[in-house]
Amino acid sequence: MARANVLLVDDEAPFVEALTRRLSKRELDITAAHDGTQALEKLEKSRMFEVVILDVKMPGMDGIETLRQIKTAHPLIEVIMLTGHATVESAIEGMKLGAFDYLMKPCDIDELVAKVEQAAARKQAQEEKITLARIKEIAARRD
Amino acid sequence: MMAAKSYKARKRYWTLLIVGVSIAPLLLMSGVILYEFRHSDREKVTAHLEELVGKHKQAIDSFLNVKLGEIRVLARTFDYDELSDESFLRERLSVMQQEESPVMVDLGVVNAEGTQVAYAGPFRLARVDYSDADWFQQAMHQEYFISDVFRGLRGLPHFIVAVRSLRGEQPWILRATIDFAAFNKLVEDIRIGRTGSAFILNREGSIQTEARNDLDLENGPYMDLLRDEESRGDEIYFLEGTDPSGIRNIYAAAYLKKVDWLLVYQQHAAEAFSSFRNALNLALVILSVACLASVVAAFLLARKMVSCLAESDEQKQIMNQQIVETGKLAAIGELAAGIAHEINNPVATMVEEAGWMEDLLEDEEFQDTKQLEEFQRSLKQIRSQGGRCKQITHKLLSFARKTDARIQEVNLYDLIDEMVALSAQRAKYSNVEIVTTLQRGLPTLHASVSEMQQIFLNLINNAIDAMEKKGGKIHISIKTETRSLVIRVADTGPGIPEANLERVFDPFFTTKPVGKGTGLGLSICYGIIAKMGGKIDVRSAIDVGTTFRIELPLPEQETVARTPIEARMLEEA
């Protein structure tokens, strides 16, 4: 089984292709989307995604807006931002909106993989917490 | 310079303007005052002369009147026969000479035929025939007669007072000669100053008294004074004219009552109006001094104004240059940002593809390939060069990006603390010590936090880079000066060669080894500071160090740190 299920969102097709190959080789399950709308559709269709790698600068709906909508619809999914240039402001804004972390493009592949794994781990931990809370609730209800 | 000519013209214009404005009223006022003064002085002098001439006219009139009266009394009291007796006549003369001053020289009785029948006096004039004499002809037709001065038989200037009486049908004449010297005295008394004198003219314009020798009766304007009998009045005539020697004179004249003579007073105009002349001279001296002073003042003032103008023009030009430079930087920035953005994506893809090839090389089937290491080295090189591109594009983007330009109250103490902390790690590796000297009570700065961070980070990083090999000290100081905040970042590094000093703020200018610097750090600082209305300059000495000095304008009212509520209220206001 893959180490994590990842949705990669970037408008630059060749970049997405190359990165998909590389990440797949590192045992990540990659699905590609080329803009924000497509990404939201894919997230809607499938519940398997754990981590989204999201380019900040995209035509149409930009990364920050996409992030906002992802977080509203799927609060548990972790998002790693990729920025063409690291502006402290957009990074801070992304963090405020609940992004897991941000990386500058082009990024070191190992760093990216590590971040994805951390994000997936966190998501799993969160989900476990919720499951536990549910179990407790159900258990409590029985009393 | 082209402007030099226009400055010169302006200087001339201002000089003339100031001179005109200051001198014109001066001249006008002086002119009016002098004119008025001249007028009143003239009136005064005229009035004085009028009185003088009037008085003397009276005196001469009454003198002649008295003499005439005496002769008349004599002619009425005694008849022709009594007076024809020479011894009686002599007696009468001596009586008259005793009673009066001896102005009457002689007495004579002339009959109708013009023969002097009796004579008393110092000359031998008995039995002289006057029938052809002018005075006799005229005396026979009038009750009394005063003759002009003439030499007559005795060869001395004299004049005659004659009274005509009748013996039966026959007229006879009693005549007396008036002492010329005594008569002269009356007129000679009128003397004023050096040039003022009086004399008497008869109706033909010949002189009747002893006159100054320089009197030129032929050419003077005397004939103008002699008027027709009809137009004669009792008043005193004034005339101003130039005599043949070119001297301007004033003339005051009056006709005598008893005789057809004109009393003339003459004086050089210059002397008569000397008080005006003195005032005029004084005024001219004062005026010329004042004019000179105002010309000098105008010249100095205009020069000062023009030099001020030139200075401000120069400053304006420098400012324009700075604006152009800043604009140029901004344009370059935008261009660079566009290029950077376009390049970044392909570079990222290239790097990823290279990475993918590396990934593939790790597969077993390639492990035995001869050139495996060469491939790997080459791919690594592609990746690291891609990384270099990334660095450059990121710097370019941050040079031009729209940073968080929101203006906030920046606390300088916090800012510096933060920046020093951020650079501490790098500084430690390079053996650089960072010292700060911050003046107490610095005002908060109205600026963008991220821009201020950028300025300090760039300057500190540059300083650390410069001292990477030998280590050293960075001294950051901030203090307030009048209306400005002065920030200094000084290092003890190797310094910047003079040739490079002018170019350090140019974009893409760098002395760092290829791949280390983008040459944008200081241009970014320059752009930010220029935008804030401040200035940055650099001073450097080889092997001593480099100091960057930033001057930022402070608002007039010193900003004191405000509470958020106050700040909001201010913003809303």
Side-chain angles (χ1 to χ4, degrees):
Chain A
M1 138 136 197
R3 287 198 283 184
N5 214 328
V6 178
L7 179 66
L8 177 59
V9 191
D10 197 319
D11 60 313
E12 195 83 8
F15 179 74
V16 172
E17 237 172 76
L19 200 59
T20 308
R21 279 190 305 236
R22 297 194 75 190
L23 291 173
S24 303
K25 192 174 160 59
R26 284 168 177 77
E27 292 167 5
L28 295 176
D29 211 337
I30 307 292
T31 309
H34 289 104
D35 58 46
T37 328
Q38 216 176 60
L40 284 167
E41 275 169 19
K42 290 200 170 162
L43 285 173
E44 207 57 51
K45 271 185 202 155
S46 162
R47 295 267 155 201
M48 336 173 318
F49 295 113
E50 291 161 297
V51 179
V52 176
I53 298 173
L54 183 60
D55 187 20
V56 172
K57 187 130 182 158
M58 284 189 298
M61 198 194 309
D62 76 349
I64 297 292
E65 183 52 34
T66 314
L67 171 65
R68 197 189 317 256
Q69 295 200 14
I70 291 172
K71 276 292 167 183
T72 321
H74 318 281
L76 286 179
I77 289 179
E78 296 294 345
V79 179
I80 295 169
M81 310 289 293
L82 273 188
T83 63
H85 55 101
T87 64
V88 187
E89 295 76 36
S90 66
I92 288 172
E93 179 133 33
M95 302 302 259
K96 264 193 209 156
L97 289 170
F100 179 76
D101 206 340
Y102 73 94
L103 283 170
M104 278 198 259
K105 209 163 104 180
C107 55
D108 187 64
I109 193 78
D110 296 327
E111 205 181 333
L112 180 61
V113 171
K115 285 265 152 71
V116 169
E117 277 179 352
Q118 282 168 21
R122 189 165 117 163
K123 197 208 169 211
Q124 277 154 20
Q126 300 261 34
E127 275 174 345
E128 263 166 43
K129 269 189 213 160
I130 292 169
T131 318
L132 269 176
R134 279 210 186 123
I135 291 169
K136 265 189 193 166
E137 203 187 299
I138 295 164
R141 216 184 283 162
R142 203 183 278 166
D143 289 338
Chain B
M1 229 173 109
M2 202 188 77
K5 209 174 140 190
S6 93
Y7 285 144
K8 228 176 209 172
R10 238 181 266 195
K11 190 155 113 186
R12 208 164 41 226
Y13 171 72
W14 277 337
T15 309
L16 288 177
L17 187 73
I18 298 168
V19 166
V21 163
S22 57
I23 289 181
L26 202 68
L27 289 176
L28 198 70
M29 207 167 74
S30 314
V32 168
I33 290 174
L34 283 174
Y35 177 79
E36 288 296 325
F37 183 67
R38 178 169 179 259
H39 192 70
S40 75
D41 185 55
R42 231 154 237 272
E43 263 178 16
K44 203 183 82 189
V45 169
T46 310
H48 176 67
L49 289 180
E50 200 166 330
E51 199 188 325
L52 187 85
V53 173
K55 252 189 198 157
H56 279 83
K57 178 193 149 189
Q58 260 174 22
I60 294 163
D61 269 338
S62 74
F63 172 84
L64 292 173
N65 221 11
V66 166
K67 294 306 147 206
L68 191 63
E70 278 171 17
I71 306 298
R72 249 181 183 160
V73 168
L74 204 62
R76 299 263 162 80
T77 318
F78 306 100
D79 60 20
Y80 176 80
D81 298 326
E82 282 172 305
L83 290 172
S84 300
D85 178 6
E86 273 194 15
S87 60
F88 179 77
L89 204 62
R90 244 191 308 268
E91 204 179 303
R92 291 323 315 161
L93 181 66
S94 72
V95 167
M96 276 160 95
Q97 280 176 343
Q98 267 162 23
E99 274 175 16
E100 307 280 332
S101 50
V103 288
M104 231 174 269
V105 179
D106 58 11
L107 280 174
V109 177
V110 182
N111 63 15
E113 285 76 44
T115 311
Q116 183 154 266
V117 291
Y119 173 79
F123 305 100
R124 298 165 171 276
L125 291 174
R127 307 306 301 172
V128 167
D129 182 9
Y130 284 120
S131 57
D132 290 333
D134 268 351
W135 68 267
F136 175 74
Q137 314 264 341
Q138 293 187 48
M140 286 300 281
H141 295 99
Q142 287 159 18
E143 199 183 336
Y144 62 88
F145 174 73
I146 297 170
S147 77
D148 289 344
V149 173
F150 66 104
R151 288 186 174 265
L153 294 171
R154 64 193 76 176
L156 286 171
H158 65 285
F159 67 94
I160 288 162
V161 179
V163 175
R164 187 190 66 181
S165 301
L166 292 173
R167 189 183 68 148
E169 289 297 305
Q170 285 292 312
W172 62 278
I173 287 171
L174 177 65
R175 56 156 282 265
T177 308
I178 303 294
D179 180 19
F180 186 63
F183 178 71
N184 256 346
K185 252 187 97 57
L186 284 175
V187 181
E188 270 173 9
D189 278 352
I190 316 177
R191 280 196 167 272
I192 299 176
R194 204 169 38 77
T195 57
S197 63
F199 50 89
I200 287 172
L201 296 177
N202 69 2
R203 73 204 141 284
E204 277 90 33
S206 54
I207 194 140
Q208 303 299 307
T209 55
E210 271 181 7
R212 301 196 330 255
N213 341 334
D214 60 340
L215 214 56
D216 186 353
L217 287 173
E218 296 295 312
N219 297 311
Y222 305 103
M223 292 317 286
D224 294 342
L225 289 167
L226 298 163
R227 298 183 181 210
D228 301 335
E229 222 150 328
E230 295 85 51
S231 67
R232 274 175 208 170
D234 213 11
E235 77 268 27
I236 288 147
Y237 314 112
F238 284 97
L239 188 77
E240 207 174 328
T242 311
D243 69 13
S245 52
I247 295 165
R248 218 173 156 68
N249 286 309
I250 56 163
Y251 303 93
Y255 277 99
L256 300 176
K257 268 186 188 154
K258 289 286 171 203
V259 65
D260 208 6
W261 288 353
L262 186 69
L263 173 66
V264 178
Y265 173 81
Q266 173 182 359
Q267 190 175 17
H268 288 180
E271 196 184 39
F273 302 122
S274 66
S275 68
F276 169 73
R277 192 151 291 266
N278 289 343
L280 184 71
N281 286 343
L282 187 67
L284 282 178
V285 168
I286 291 172
L287 204 65
S288 48
V289 168
C291 287
L292 193 72
S294 68
V295 165
V296 169
F299 180 74
L300 292 178
L301 215 63
R303 202 172 61 174
K304 175 97 186 142
M305 271 157 83
V306 165
S307 82
C308 277
L309 190 80
E311 206 173 298
S312 86
D313 279 355
E314 202 173 313
Q315 276 175 356
K316 208 163 77 184
Q317 208 163 17
I318 290 172
M319 220 151 81
N320 281 344
Q321 257 169 14
Q322 279 179 348
I323 288 168
V324 167
E325 217 156 287
T326 313
K328 218 160 64 188
L329 274 180
I332 291 171
E334 259 164 57
L335 185 73
I339 293 168
H341 204 81
E342 288 310 308
I343 284 176
N344 200 43
N345 277 329
V347 166
T349 310
M350 276 156 61
V351 168
E352 290 311 328
E353 293 289 359
W356 174 235
M357 282 169 80
E358 276 183 315
D359 291 350
L360 291 178
L361 281 179
E362 273 163 29
D363 286 354
E364 265 178 54
E365 49 186 300
F366 293 110
Q367 289 303 315
D368 297 333
T369 315
K370 251 198 239 166
Q371 302 287 352
L372 179 68
E373 263 179 47
E374 257 316 290
F375 277 124
Q376 276 173 337
R377 193 201 56 75
S378 174
L379 288 169
K380 203 174 155 201
Q381 186 67 359
I382 292 175
R383 271 205 305 142
S384 75
Q385 293 305 316
R388 244 180 88 186
C389 289
K390 177 178 98 169
Q391 255 189 6
I392 295 168
T393 54
H394 284 179
K395 279 268 178 66
L396 274 174
L397 283 167
S398 69
F399 169 57
R401 73 192 163 152
K402 292 180 181 71
T403 47
D404 181 13
R406 271 177 304 146
I407 303 295
Q408 307 170 21
E409 298 294 319
V410 180
N411 183 321
L412 287 162
Y413 300 103
D414 291 350
L415 181 78
I416 299 297
D417 274 355
E418 202 181 323
M419 292 302 107
V420 171
L422 215 59
S423 313
Q425 198 67 17
R426 269 201 73 200
K428 215 166 78 185
Y429 285 130
S430 308
N431 200 16
V432 170
E433 189 192 354
I434 302 180
V435 187
T436 59
T437 316
L438 308 182
Q439 183 188 303
R440 276 164 175 246
L442 285 175
T444 57
L445 196 61
H446 227 58
S448 152
V449 178
S450 60
E451 285 179 349
M452 291 305 293
Q453 285 172 340
Q454 234 176 332
I455 292 171
F456 280 106
L457 267 186
N458 271 318
L459 292 179
I460 293 171
N461 279 341
N462 279 351
I464 292 175
D465 287 343
M467 297 185 288
E468 216 169 10
K469 286 177 193 158
K470 290 183 181 169
K473 206 161 99 175
I474 298 173
H475 186 197
I476 302 172
S477 73
I478 306 183
K479 61 176 181 175
T480 51
E481 276 175 14
T482 42
R483 302 256 171 94
S484 62
L485 190 74
V486 177
I487 301 167
R488 280 195 180 82
V489 178
D491 66 44
T492 57
I496 303 168
E498 196 149 339
N500 293 341
L501 215 50
E502 276 181 15
R503 303 175 57 201
V504 292
F505 297 113
D506 288 354
F508 303 108
F509 176 77
T510 182
T511 55
K512 289 175 187 171
V514 176
K516 273 228 71 174
T518 56
L520 287 171
L522 283 175
S523 356
I524 293 171
C525 292
Y526 186 94
I528 293 171
I529 291 161
K531 197 179 73 185
M532 290 170 74
K535 52 189 178 192
I536 179 167
D537 53 47
V538 58
R539 250 171 231 171
S540 188
I542 299 296
D543 290 333
V544 177
T546 305
T547 303
F548 284 90
R549 181 177 178 279
I550 300 168
E551 206 178 314
L552 295 174
L554 283 179
E556 281 188 27
Q557 215 180 359
E558 206 159 278
T559 332
V560 194
R562 292 197 185 86
T563 64
I565 292 172
E566 279 177 337
R568 205 177 312 142
M569 278 164 71
L570 272 174
E571 241 168 63
E572 277 163 18

